[in-house]
Amino acid sequence: MDNLKQKNGLEILKADGEKIRQDLTGQFGDLCLMQCPIVEEIIDTQMLVYSKEVDFAKRCGLISEQVATDLVNELSVEIEDLYQAITQNQASQLDKKD
Amino acid sequence: MDNLKQKNGLEILKADGEKIRQDLTGQFGDLCLMQCPIVEEIIDTQMLVYSKEVDFAKRCGLISEQVATDLVNELSVEIEDLYQAITQNQASQLDKKD
């Protein structure tokens, strides 16, 4: 039961991370300009909340310190890469319109 | 062990709530004007993070839905009351200085 809860906690965290990725590649990427400061602020807030969730899971003993660090670092890098890719893609589309 | 982890999760959440209260009555109350939009934004962010932590604990099965609702609602009411009390106290101190 205890292992089940730990697995459950890790799976929920992974799903939460996936949701942030999907927001970025989905509606944000389609409907919002990445340069828009509101987009940046929403992503920053989502990452803050995510890192606090992960930290709480670590403090509860649901995940190890190493897993916590990896989860946050990996998502940060991925989000940054996605953000850059979408920004460049949007810029090239805007260039075409000119 | 499982009950221990649940208790631990609830205790950590209560401690996190207490920390928000202490920030408000401590350094914010002493050093910052409550009307300052930055103070309001920091408190809003802390409450957002707290409610997401509580939500995560609920989704992991560490606390019940009712406990989750109570934790967030009670802290929101307390923080609002504290905020109003400090704002009024600061206003009356500023009046005295005039």
Side-chain angles (χ1 to χ4, degrees), chain B residues 9-49:
Chain B
L10 183 58
E11 273 165 16
I12 291 172
L13 286 172
K14 284 184 178 169
D16 285 354
E18 183 56 31
K19 200 186 161 305
I20 301 177
R21 255 181 239 113
Q22 280 175 359
D23 275 355
L24 193 58
T25 50
Q27 58 174 2
F28 283 170
D30 292 341
L31 301 174
C32 313
L33 276 182
M34 285 298 118
Q35 292 94 328
C36 170
I38 296 175
V39 169
E40 218 169 323
E41 194 167 323
I42 291 175
I43 296 170
D44 284 351
T45 305
Q46 286 181 335
M47 283 304 297
L48 170 73
V49 166

mmCIF file of all heavy atoms in Angstrom, chain B residues 9-49:
data_model
loop_
_atom_site.group_PDB
_atom_site.id
_atom_site.type_symbol
_atom_site.label_atom_id
_atom_site.label_comp_id
_atom_site.label_asym_id
_atom_site.label_seq_id
_atom_site.Cartn_x
_atom_site.Cartn_y
_atom_site.Cartn_z
ATOM 1 N N GLY B 9 2.197 13.997 5.915
ATOM 2 C CA GLY B 9 1.733 14.892 4.856
ATOM 3 C C GLY B 9 0.869 16.008 5.409
ATOM 4 O O GLY B 9 1.049 17.181 5.075
ATOM 5 N N LEU B 10 -0.048 15.657 6.291
ATOM 6 C CA LEU B 10 -0.939 16.659 6.882
ATOM 7 C C LEU B 10 -0.150 17.635 7.747
ATOM 8 O O LEU B 10 -0.380 18.854 7.715
ATOM 9 C CB LEU B 10 -2.028 15.951 7.709
ATOM 10 C CG LEU B 10 -3.093 16.865 8.329
ATOM 11 C CD1 LEU B 10 -3.806 17.680 7.263
ATOM 12 C CD2 LEU B 10 -4.112 16.043 9.122
ATOM 13 N N GLU B 11 0.811 17.108 8.500
ATOM 14 C CA GLU B 11 1.631 17.989 9.361
ATOM 15 C C GLU B 11 2.471 18.961 8.537
ATOM 16 O O GLU B 11 2.635 20.125 8.905
ATOM 17 C CB GLU B 11 2.538 17.153 10.267
ATOM 18 C CG GLU B 11 1.818 16.781 11.552
ATOM 19 C CD GLU B 11 2.511 15.675 12.330
ATOM 20 O OE1 GLU B 11 3.697 15.400 12.043
ATOM 21 O OE2 GLU B 11 1.849 15.101 13.198
ATOM 22 N N ILE B 12 3.011 18.460 7.432
ATOM 23 C CA ILE B 12 3.809 19.330 6.558
ATOM 24 C C ILE B 12 2.925 20.440 5.983
ATOM 25 O O ILE B 12 3.315 21.607 5.932
ATOM 26 C CB ILE B 12 4.480 18.509 5.438
ATOM 27 C CG1 ILE B 12 5.564 17.607 6.034
ATOM 28 C CG2 ILE B 12 5.090 19.414 4.371
ATOM 29 C CD1 ILE B 12 6.174 16.613 5.053
ATOM 30 N N LEU B 13 1.701 20.081 5.578
ATOM 31 C CA LEU B 13 0.790 21.091 5.033
ATOM 32 C C LEU B 13 0.437 22.139 6.089
ATOM 33 O O LEU B 13 0.388 23.333 5.799
ATOM 34 C CB LEU B 13 -0.489 20.422 4.516
ATOM 35 C CG LEU B 13 -0.349 19.645 3.204
ATOM 36 C CD1 LEU B 13 -1.624 18.879 2.904
ATOM 37 C CD2 LEU B 13 -0.003 20.575 2.058
ATOM 38 N N LYS B 14 0.191 21.669 7.314
ATOM 39 C CA LYS B 14 -0.131 22.622 8.384
ATOM 40 C C LYS B 14 1.052 23.553 8.653
ATOM 41 O O LYS B 14 0.874 24.757 8.874
ATOM 42 C CB LYS B 14 -0.532 21.873 9.663
ATOM 43 C CG LYS B 14 -1.931 21.296 9.585
ATOM 44 C CD LYS B 14 -2.348 20.636 10.886
ATOM 45 C CE LYS B 14 -3.769 20.103 10.791
ATOM 46 N NZ LYS B 14 -4.116 19.231 11.926
ATOM 47 N N ALA B 15 2.257 23.001 8.620
ATOM 48 C CA ALA B 15 3.458 23.818 8.841
ATOM 49 C C ALA B 15 3.626 24.830 7.713
ATOM 50 O O ALA B 15 4.008 25.989 7.948
ATOM 51 C CB ALA B 15 4.689 22.926 8.950
ATOM 52 N N ASP B 16 3.328 24.416 6.481
ATOM 53 C CA ASP B 16 3.437 25.330 5.337
ATOM 54 C C ASP B 16 2.434 26.479 5.463
ATOM 55 O O ASP B 16 2.746 27.634 5.147
ATOM 56 C CB ASP B 16 3.202 24.580 4.015
ATOM 57 C CG ASP B 16 4.406 23.731 3.619
ATOM 58 O OD1 ASP B 16 5.451 23.827 4.302
ATOM 59 O OD2 ASP B 16 4.313 22.985 2.635
ATOM 60 N N GLY B 17 1.234 26.153 5.921
ATOM 61 C CA GLY B 17 0.220 27.188 6.139
ATOM 62 C C GLY B 17 0.671 28.153 7.226
ATOM 63 O O GLY B 17 0.532 29.371 7.094
ATOM 64 N N GLU B 18 1.238 27.587 8.277
ATOM 65 C CA GLU B 18 1.731 28.410 9.392
ATOM 66 C C GLU B 18 2.824 29.364 8.913
ATOM 67 O O GLU B 18 2.901 30.514 9.350
ATOM 68 C CB GLU B 18 2.271 27.480 10.489
ATOM 69 C CG GLU B 18 2.757 28.164 11.745
ATOM 70 C CD GLU B 18 1.716 29.060 12.392
ATOM 71 O OE1 GLU B 18 0.527 28.755 12.281
ATOM 72 O OE2 GLU B 18 2.107 30.094 12.983
ATOM 73 N N LYS B 19 3.656 28.894 7.984
ATOM 74 C CA LYS B 19 4.743 29.729 7.475
ATOM 75 C C LYS B 19 4.185 30.955 6.724
ATOM 76 O O LYS B 19 4.723 32.056 6.844
ATOM 77 C CB LYS B 19 5.652 28.900 6.554
ATOM 78 C CG LYS B 19 7.007 29.536 6.394
ATOM 79 C CD LYS B 19 7.901 28.872 5.410
ATOM 80 C CE LYS B 19 8.999 29.841 5.003
ATOM 81 N NZ LYS B 19 8.504 31.133 4.478
ATOM 82 N N ILE B 20 3.103 30.750 5.984
ATOM 83 C CA ILE B 20 2.484 31.884 5.266
ATOM 84 C C ILE B 20 1.945 32.894 6.280
ATOM 85 O O ILE B 20 2.137 34.095 6.150
ATOM 86 C CB ILE B 20 1.343 31.393 4.333
ATOM 87 C CG1 ILE B 20 1.895 30.398 3.310
ATOM 88 C CG2 ILE B 20 0.688 32.571 3.623
ATOM 89 C CD1 ILE B 20 0.847 29.802 2.382
ATOM 90 N N ARG B 21 1.295 32.371 7.326
ATOM 91 C CA ARG B 21 0.795 33.237 8.392
ATOM 92 C C ARG B 21 1.935 34.028 9.028
ATOM 93 O O ARG B 21 1.828 35.224 9.284
ATOM 94 C CB ARG B 21 0.144 32.377 9.488
ATOM 95 C CG ARG B 21 -1.350 32.409 9.486
ATOM 96 C CD ARG B 21 -1.899 31.552 10.605
ATOM 97 N NE ARG B 21 -2.751 30.529 10.077
ATOM 98 C CZ ARG B 21 -2.532 29.228 10.093
ATOM 99 N NH1 ARG B 21 -1.444 28.751 10.659
ATOM 100 N NH2 ARG B 21 -3.388 28.404 9.547
ATOM 101 N N GLN B 22 3.046 33.333 9.311
ATOM 102 C CA GLN B 22 4.178 33.992 9.982
ATOM 103 C C GLN B 22 4.820 35.053 9.100
ATOM 104 O O GLN B 22 5.235 36.096 9.597
ATOM 105 C CB GLN B 22 5.217 32.951 10.402
ATOM 106 C CG GLN B 22 4.809 32.239 11.681
ATOM 107 C CD GLN B 22 5.745 31.119 12.059
ATOM 108 O OE1 GLN B 22 6.708 30.846 11.343
ATOM 109 N NE2 GLN B 22 5.470 30.465 13.168
ATOM 110 N N ASP B 23 4.912 34.773 7.794
ATOM 111 C CA ASP B 23 5.448 35.783 6.866
ATOM 112 C C ASP B 23 4.634 37.065 6.973
ATOM 113 O O ASP B 23 5.173 38.165 6.996
ATOM 114 C CB ASP B 23 5.345 35.292 5.410
ATOM 115 C CG ASP B 23 6.535 34.426 5.030
ATOM 116 O OD1 ASP B 23 7.457 34.301 5.850
ATOM 117 O OD2 ASP B 23 6.529 33.888 3.913
ATOM 118 N N LEU B 24 3.318 36.865 7.033
ATOM 119 C CA LEU B 24 2.423 38.016 7.011
ATOM 120 C C LEU B 24 2.519 38.813 8.316
ATOM 121 O O LEU B 24 2.598 40.045 8.301
ATOM 122 C CB LEU B 24 0.985 37.511 6.791
ATOM 123 C CG LEU B 24 -0.082 38.522 6.428
ATOM 124 C CD1 LEU B 24 0.288 39.269 5.171
ATOM 125 C CD2 LEU B 24 -1.421 37.811 6.219
ATOM 126 N N THR B 25 2.505 38.104 9.441
ATOM 127 C CA THR B 25 2.558 38.810 10.733
ATOM 128 C C THR B 25 3.985 39.252 11.048
ATOM 129 O O THR B 25 4.188 40.167 11.824
ATOM 130 C CB THR B 25 2.048 37.910 11.880
ATOM 131 O OG1 THR B 25 2.724 36.656 11.802
ATOM 132 C CG2 THR B 25 0.565 37.689 11.759
ATOM 133 N N GLY B 26 4.986 38.592 10.438
ATOM 134 C CA GLY B 26 6.380 38.929 10.700
ATOM 135 C C GLY B 26 6.888 40.016 9.779
ATOM 136 O O GLY B 26 6.464 41.160 9.866
ATOM 137 N N GLN B 27 7.751 39.643 8.871
ATOM 138 C CA GLN B 27 8.470 40.646 8.075
ATOM 139 C C GLN B 27 7.546 41.517 7.221
ATOM 140 O O GLN B 27 7.772 42.719 7.116
ATOM 141 C CB GLN B 27 9.531 39.983 7.203
ATOM 142 C CG GLN B 27 9.007 38.928 6.253
ATOM 143 C CD GLN B 27 10.113 38.428 5.333
ATOM 144 O OE1 GLN B 27 11.260 38.847 5.451
ATOM 145 N NE2 GLN B 27 9.767 37.549 4.418
ATOM 146 N N PHE B 28 6.493 40.919 6.642
ATOM 147 C CA PHE B 28 5.600 41.751 5.823
ATOM 148 C C PHE B 28 4.943 42.819 6.692
ATOM 149 O O PHE B 28 4.920 43.993 6.337
ATOM 150 C CB PHE B 28 4.500 40.903 5.182
ATOM 151 C CG PHE B 28 4.966 40.111 4.005
ATOM 152 C CD1 PHE B 28 4.152 39.135 3.445
ATOM 153 C CD2 PHE B 28 6.211 40.327 3.431
ATOM 154 C CE1 PHE B 28 4.573 38.404 2.358
ATOM 155 C CE2 PHE B 28 6.626 39.603 2.346
ATOM 156 C CZ PHE B 28 5.806 38.634 1.808
ATOM 157 N N GLY B 29 4.382 42.366 7.825
ATOM 158 C CA GLY B 29 3.672 43.288 8.697
ATOM 159 C C GLY B 29 4.573 44.388 9.223
ATOM 160 O O GLY B 29 4.146 45.527 9.393
ATOM 161 N N ASP B 30 5.843 44.039 9.480
ATOM 162 C CA ASP B 30 6.762 45.020 10.059
ATOM 163 C C ASP B 30 7.375 45.944 9.013
ATOM 164 O O ASP B 30 7.555 47.128 9.251
ATOM 165 C CB ASP B 30 7.908 44.312 10.795
ATOM 166 C CG ASP B 30 7.410 43.605 12.042
ATOM 167 O OD1 ASP B 30 6.308 43.957 12.504
ATOM 168 O OD2 ASP B 30 8.103 42.705 12.532
ATOM 169 N N LEU B 31 7.742 45.374 7.880
ATOM 170 C CA LEU B 31 8.589 46.112 6.948
ATOM 171 C C LEU B 31 7.899 46.587 5.675
ATOM 172 O O LEU B 31 8.440 47.410 4.946
ATOM 173 C CB LEU B 31 9.806 45.248 6.534
ATOM 174 C CG LEU B 31 10.716 44.794 7.679
ATOM 175 C CD1 LEU B 31 11.775 43.836 7.152
ATOM 176 C CD2 LEU B 31 11.381 46.002 8.324
ATOM 177 N N CYS B 32 6.702 46.045 5.380
ATOM 178 C CA CYS B 32 6.082 46.375 4.087
ATOM 179 C C CYS B 32 4.684 46.947 4.308
ATOM 180 O O CYS B 32 3.960 46.534 5.217
ATOM 181 C CB CYS B 32 5.949 45.128 3.219
ATOM 182 S SG CYS B 32 7.439 44.121 3.144
ATOM 183 N N LEU B 33 4.326 47.865 3.451
ATOM 184 C CA LEU B 33 2.958 48.374 3.486
ATOM 185 C C LEU B 33 2.034 47.375 2.807
ATOM 186 O O LEU B 33 2.307 46.923 1.701
ATOM 187 C CB LEU B 33 2.877 49.723 2.769
ATOM 188 C CG LEU B 33 3.249 50.940 3.609
ATOM 189 C CD1 LEU B 33 3.080 52.208 2.788
ATOM 190 C CD2 LEU B 33 2.379 51.022 4.863
ATOM 191 N N MET B 34 0.940 47.030 3.484
ATOM 192 C CA MET B 34 0.017 46.028 2.934
ATOM 193 C C MET B 34 -0.580 46.489 1.601
ATOM 194 O O MET B 34 -0.934 45.684 0.771
ATOM 195 C CB MET B 34 -1.126 45.751 3.923
ATOM 196 C CG MET B 34 -0.721 44.896 5.102
ATOM 197 S SD MET B 34 -0.160 43.240 4.642
ATOM 198 C CE MET B 34 1.518 43.286 5.246
ATOM 199 N N GLN B 35 -0.705 47.817 1.428
ATOM 200 C CA GLN B 35 -1.274 48.312 0.179
ATOM 201 C C GLN B 35 -0.335 48.091 -1.003
ATOM 202 O O GLN B 35 -0.751 48.206 -2.155
ATOM 203 C CB GLN B 35 -1.590 49.808 0.262
ATOM 204 C CG GLN B 35 -2.723 50.153 1.209
ATOM 205 C CD GLN B 35 -2.196 50.513 2.593
ATOM 206 O OE1 GLN B 35 -1.174 49.979 3.017
ATOM 207 N NE2 GLN B 35 -2.882 51.389 3.278
ATOM 208 N N CYS B 36 0.930 47.797 -0.705
ATOM 209 C CA CYS B 36 1.916 47.604 -1.774
ATOM 210 C C CYS B 36 1.498 46.418 -2.651
ATOM 211 O O CYS B 36 1.265 45.326 -2.137
ATOM 212 C CB CYS B 36 3.292 47.349 -1.159
ATOM 213 S SG CYS B 36 4.517 46.829 -2.361
ATOM 214 N N PRO B 37 1.377 46.636 -3.965
ATOM 215 C CA PRO B 37 0.897 45.542 -4.827
ATOM 216 C C PRO B 37 1.809 44.318 -4.811
ATOM 217 O O PRO B 37 1.350 43.208 -5.041
ATOM 218 C CB PRO B 37 0.847 46.170 -6.225
ATOM 219 C CG PRO B 37 1.510 47.490 -6.133
ATOM 220 C CD PRO B 37 1.581 47.888 -4.695
ATOM 221 N N ILE B 38 3.101 44.528 -4.503
ATOM 222 C CA ILE B 38 4.017 43.373 -4.461
ATOM 223 C C ILE B 38 3.668 42.445 -3.302
ATOM 224 O O ILE B 38 3.676 41.225 -3.441
ATOM 225 C CB ILE B 38 5.486 43.842 -4.361
ATOM 226 C CG1 ILE B 38 5.861 44.605 -5.631
ATOM 227 C CG2 ILE B 38 6.425 42.653 -4.179
ATOM 228 C CD1 ILE B 38 7.242 45.226 -5.601
ATOM 229 N N VAL B 39 3.316 43.045 -2.159
ATOM 230 C CA VAL B 39 2.922 42.220 -1.004
ATOM 231 C C VAL B 39 1.700 41.381 -1.363
ATOM 232 O O VAL B 39 1.660 40.169 -1.129
ATOM 233 C CB VAL B 39 2.609 43.106 0.225
ATOM 234 C CG1 VAL B 39 1.946 42.281 1.327
ATOM 235 C CG2 VAL B 39 3.868 43.758 0.758
ATOM 236 N N GLU B 40 0.715 42.038 -1.977
ATOM 237 C CA GLU B 40 -0.505 41.325 -2.363
ATOM 238 C C GLU B 40 -0.183 40.181 -3.328
ATOM 239 O O GLU B 40 -0.720 39.081 -3.210
ATOM 240 C CB GLU B 40 -1.479 42.310 -3.017
ATOM 241 C CG GLU B 40 -2.914 42.035 -2.642
ATOM 242 C CD GLU B 40 -3.825 43.176 -3.073
ATOM 243 O OE1 GLU B 40 -3.404 44.354 -3.001
ATOM 244 O OE2 GLU B 40 -4.929 42.892 -3.527
ATOM 245 N N GLU B 41 0.725 40.463 -4.273
ATOM 246 C CA GLU B 41 1.061 39.435 -5.262
ATOM 247 C C GLU B 41 1.788 38.256 -4.612
ATOM 248 O O GLU B 41 1.532 37.099 -4.953
ATOM 249 C CB GLU B 41 1.918 40.053 -6.373
ATOM 250 C CG GLU B 41 2.003 39.136 -7.574
ATOM 251 C CD GLU B 41 2.571 39.825 -8.793
ATOM 252 O OE1 GLU B 41 2.281 41.011 -8.995
ATOM 253 O OE2 GLU B 41 3.311 39.149 -9.539
ATOM 254 N N ILE B 42 2.683 38.559 -3.670
ATOM 255 C CA ILE B 42 3.414 37.475 -2.999
ATOM 256 C C ILE B 42 2.442 36.606 -2.208
ATOM 257 O O ILE B 42 2.508 35.374 -2.252
ATOM 258 C CB ILE B 42 4.517 38.048 -2.077
ATOM 259 C CG1 ILE B 42 5.626 38.669 -2.926
ATOM 260 C CG2 ILE B 42 5.096 36.954 -1.179
ATOM 261 C CD1 ILE B 42 6.699 39.377 -2.130
ATOM 262 N N ILE B 43 1.514 37.245 -1.499
ATOM 263 C CA ILE B 43 0.537 36.466 -0.724
ATOM 264 C C ILE B 43 -0.329 35.623 -1.657
ATOM 265 O O ILE B 43 -0.570 34.445 -1.401
ATOM 266 C CB ILE B 43 -0.339 37.400 0.139
ATOM 267 C CG1 ILE B 43 0.533 38.106 1.180
ATOM 268 C CG2 ILE B 43 -1.449 36.605 0.837
ATOM 269 C CD1 ILE B 43 -0.179 39.229 1.913
ATOM 270 N N ASP B 44 -0.778 36.220 -2.770
ATOM 271 C CA ASP B 44 -1.580 35.458 -3.740
ATOM 272 C C ASP B 44 -0.810 34.244 -4.248
ATOM 273 O O ASP B 44 -1.360 33.153 -4.370
ATOM 274 C CB ASP B 44 -1.963 36.344 -4.939
ATOM 275 C CG ASP B 44 -3.087 37.310 -4.589
ATOM 276 O OD1 ASP B 44 -3.670 37.173 -3.493
ATOM 277 O OD2 ASP B 44 -3.373 38.202 -5.397
ATOM 278 N N THR B 45 0.486 34.461 -4.565
ATOM 279 C CA THR B 45 1.300 33.353 -5.076
ATOM 280 C C THR B 45 1.473 32.282 -4.009
ATOM 281 O O THR B 45 1.352 31.086 -4.296
ATOM 282 C CB THR B 45 2.688 33.860 -5.534
ATOM 283 O OG1 THR B 45 2.501 34.904 -6.494
ATOM 284 C CG2 THR B 45 3.500 32.747 -6.160
ATOM 285 N N GLN B 46 1.725 32.709 -2.765
ATOM 286 C CA GLN B 46 1.878 31.721 -1.687
ATOM 287 C C GLN B 46 0.602 30.917 -1.502
ATOM 288 O O GLN B 46 0.642 29.701 -1.291
ATOM 289 C CB GLN B 46 2.236 32.427 -0.371
ATOM 290 C CG GLN B 46 3.672 32.933 -0.322
ATOM 291 C CD GLN B 46 4.009 33.601 1.001
ATOM 292 O OE1 GLN B 46 3.117 34.098 1.687
ATOM 293 N NE2 GLN B 46 5.274 33.627 1.355
ATOM 294 N N MET B 47 -0.549 31.587 -1.600
ATOM 295 C CA MET B 47 -1.824 30.872 -1.439
ATOM 296 C C MET B 47 -2.077 29.929 -2.618
ATOM 297 O O MET B 47 -2.619 28.845 -2.423
ATOM 298 C CB MET B 47 -2.991 31.862 -1.309
ATOM 299 C CG MET B 47 -3.104 32.505 0.068
ATOM 300 S SD MET B 47 -3.228 31.303 1.441
ATOM 301 C CE MET B 47 -4.773 30.465 1.060
ATOM 302 N N LEU B 48 -1.686 30.359 -3.820
ATOM 303 C CA LEU B 48 -1.831 29.471 -4.992
ATOM 304 C C LEU B 48 -0.990 28.214 -4.803
ATOM 305 O O LEU B 48 -1.476 27.089 -4.983
ATOM 306 C CB LEU B 48 -1.388 30.216 -6.263
ATOM 307 C CG LEU B 48 -1.260 29.350 -7.519
ATOM 308 C CD1 LEU B 48 -2.628 28.965 -8.062
ATOM 309 C CD2 LEU B 48 -0.467 30.067 -8.613
ATOM 310 N N VAL B 49 0.281 28.410 -4.435
ATOM 311 C CA VAL B 49 1.173 27.271 -4.233
ATOM 312 C C VAL B 49 0.617 26.357 -3.146
ATOM 313 O O VAL B 49 0.576 25.125 -3.294
ATOM 314 C CB VAL B 49 2.600 27.756 -3.862
ATOM 315 C CG1 VAL B 49 3.438 26.614 -3.322
ATOM 316 C CG2 VAL B 49 3.279 28.384 -5.078
#
